[in-house]
């Protein structure tokens, strides 16, 4: 049994299928939001063999040390600006001129709710970083004015259909989602796309306030790279098979399977924490 | 033999009554228990939040206004349709009735996308409206449109039944007495079916209040109560969502009870 963050469900499925055929085992996969998955373990005590989350930070915040003592960062994603052929100025927009194109009259820009969806607050972080990066004071406010409350939807996946229906010209999205839904997109400079672990220090300069534990609380979120991580819970029902699968996923073969299904697997996975099984450590140090 | 038949059928009758009562009670419990649990779990804090949570208050208000608008639009547009379906034989009636039921079986996010394609800013209608300064997506108008689309079929089919229960002979009599068709409808058919029509509108209103999937595509902000309770649940978990849901259940009872208690055609209805 594998619990997978919905945004990496398809790549992990592909790897699981190959693994299951080779080992002659049956696998089950349940997909959900990273926080939902963590709550399943901590509150409902449903323990899978492997947990794959879209936000590595959930491990130290919610699952360590009770559920597990380590996690492995193995893939990344990044913020992009997605659009369709029908979008206004679709033929002109590129990675350098996008702030200007978005500010042209009549352009509708969609974003996700920062209180509900990491993509929503990551959009705000990217815009903050953009103001700094392009040295244009006031850029954040200008771009936020372009996507007022009526252009917000609950989650980044909800934006895609609305974009395709023509209601938005551009949406803030993840590269993986834009690829999976066959949208056109432009990549952003590494210093602002939250996709480069090497730029962690730069990202940390940006921070936003979002709703905390109740609608009245606020929580400050600092910029961090978008890194996917996985772990094997201490109480996994089939630890041996889980170790085998994780070692497979982190191997060159596993990584190329992930790349083929549009997940940007890290060339060198990183283990955080201690107590990772020997098979997993061997797979990482073999890179 | 005949002497035995009567008590045996009595016993069978009694058994049937007991089984029916048991089934009925279980079913009632199934319908009422979840709502009871909501109200018990979140009622008190929910009512408290009515005074402190302005977002909840404005969301309840918005829901009441948009659902009432939607029910009014449904009654205005749906009544003639229902009447024609109940009274006039025409070719393809079964197909027409089936098409009118379609919005009920389309998954609601799909309904929202379909409406967006027709009323969004890239559509002919949406563009014309925008030029006139009327925005559908992202405004309360979008909420009303989504509500009407998913709930009007309920009104139409219930109103059609209400008309069908009125004996056409009454109308014929009024018309032989010299009333034109419209006046015969207004003076005879409408009063006789009024209770059924109100019941139909209540069902439509209630369905409109509960709509989420189509609304969230068209108009996420400003938030109706269904969207707000979803937001609170996904963002903050059960403790924040329960009060919203409980307050909605409690407040919705008021108009439902009031309208159900209305009996404008006392004595004439067949659905007492």
């Amino acid at each position: 049994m594998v619990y997978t963050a919905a945004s990496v469900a398809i790549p992990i499925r592909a790897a699981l299928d190959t693994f299951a055929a080779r080992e002659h085992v049956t696998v089950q996969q349940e997909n959900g939001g990273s926080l939902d998955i963590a709550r399943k373990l901590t509150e409902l005590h449903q323990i899978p063999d492997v947990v794959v989350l879209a936000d590595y930070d959930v491990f130290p915040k919610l699952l360590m040390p009770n559920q597990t003592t380590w996690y492995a960062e193995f893939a990344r994603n990044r913020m992009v600006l997605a659009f369709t052929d029908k979008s206004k100025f679709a033929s002109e927009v590129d990675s350098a001129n996008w702030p200007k194109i978005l500010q042209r009259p009549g352009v509708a820009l969609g974003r996700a709710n920062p209180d509900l969806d990491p993509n929503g607050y990551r959009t705000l972080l990217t815009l903050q970083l953009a103001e700094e990066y392009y040295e244009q004071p006031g850029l954040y406010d200008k771009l936020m004015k372009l996507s007022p409350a009526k252009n917000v939807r609950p989650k980044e996946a909800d934006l895609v259909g609305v974009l395709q229906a023509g209601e938005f010209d551009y949406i803030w999205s993840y590269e993986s989602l834009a690829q999976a839904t066959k949208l056109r997109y432009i990549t952003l400079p590494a210093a602002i796309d939250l996709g480069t672990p090497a730029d962690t220090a730069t990202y940390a300069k940006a921070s936003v306030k979002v709703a905390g534990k109740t609608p009245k609380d606020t929580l400050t979120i600092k910029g961090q790279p978008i890194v996917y991580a996985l772990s094997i819970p201490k109480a996994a029902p089939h630890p041996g098979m889980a170790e085998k699968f994780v070692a497979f996923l982190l191997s060159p073969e596993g990584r190329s399977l992930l790349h083929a299904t549009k997940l940007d697997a890290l060339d060198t996975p990183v283990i955080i924490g201690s107590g990772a099984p020997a098979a997993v450590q061997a797979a990482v140090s073999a890179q | 033999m005949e002497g035995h038949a009567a008590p045996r059928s009595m016993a069978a009758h009694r058994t049937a009554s007991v089984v029916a009562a048991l089934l009925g009670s279980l079913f009632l419990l199934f319908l009422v228990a979840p709502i009871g649990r909501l109200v018990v779990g979140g009622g008190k804090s929910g009512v408290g939040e009515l005074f402190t949570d302005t977002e909840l208050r404005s969301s309840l208000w918005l829901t009441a206004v948009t659902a009432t608008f939607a029910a009014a639009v449904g009654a205005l547009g749906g009544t003639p349709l229902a009447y024609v379906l109940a009274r006039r034989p025409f070719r393809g009636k079964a197909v027409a009735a089936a098409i009118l039921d379609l919005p009920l079986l389309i998954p609601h996010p799909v309904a929202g996308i379909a409406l967006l394609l027709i009323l969004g800013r890239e559509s002919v209608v949406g563009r014309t409206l925008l030029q006139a300064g009327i925005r559908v997506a992202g405004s309360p108008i979008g909420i009303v449109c989504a509500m009407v689309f998913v709930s009007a079929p309920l009104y139409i089919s219930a109103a059609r039944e209400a008309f069908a229960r009125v004996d056409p002979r009454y109308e014929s009599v009024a018309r032989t007495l010299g009333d034109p068709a419209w006046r015969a409808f207004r003076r005879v058919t409408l009063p006789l079916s009024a209770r059924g029509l109100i019941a139909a509108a209540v069902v439509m209103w209630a369905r409109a209040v509960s709509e989420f999937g189509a609304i969230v595509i068209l108009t996420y902000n400003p938030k109706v109560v269904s969207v707000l309770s979803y937001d609170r649940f996904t963002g903050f978990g059960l403790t924040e969502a329960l009060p919203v849901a409980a307050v909605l259940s409690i407040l919705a009872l008021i108009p439902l009870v009031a309208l159900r208690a209305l009996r404008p055609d006392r004595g004439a209805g067949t659905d007492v």
Side-chain angles (χ1 to χ4, degrees), chain B residues 78-90 92-101 152-166 189 193 196-197 200:
Chain B
T79 306
L81 268 177
Y83 184 75
V84 168
L85 286 169
R87 280 286 189 268
R88 303 259 189 280
F90 60 90
K93 190 158 142 178
V95 176
I99 288 175
L100 284 174
D101 282 339
L154 291 174
Y155 177 83
I156 293 171
S157 73
R160 182 186 170 186
E161 288 306 312
F163 285 135
R165 281 196 300 268
V166 178
T189 318
S193 54
L197 295 183

Side-chain angles (χ1 to χ4, degrees), chain B residues 179-190:
Chain B
D179 274 355
W182 159 242
R183 204 191 293 163
F185 173 78
R186 190 168 55 86
R187 288 183 21 165
V188 178
T189 318
L190 203 55

Side-chain angles (χ1 to χ4, degrees), chain A residues 1-4 48-52 230-233 236 242-243 245-246:
Chain A
M1 171 61 81
V2 178
Y3 285 174
T4 321
D49 292 308
V50 180
V51 187
V52 187
L230 55 77
S231 187
I232 301 172
E243 285 166 28
F245 173 67
V246 170

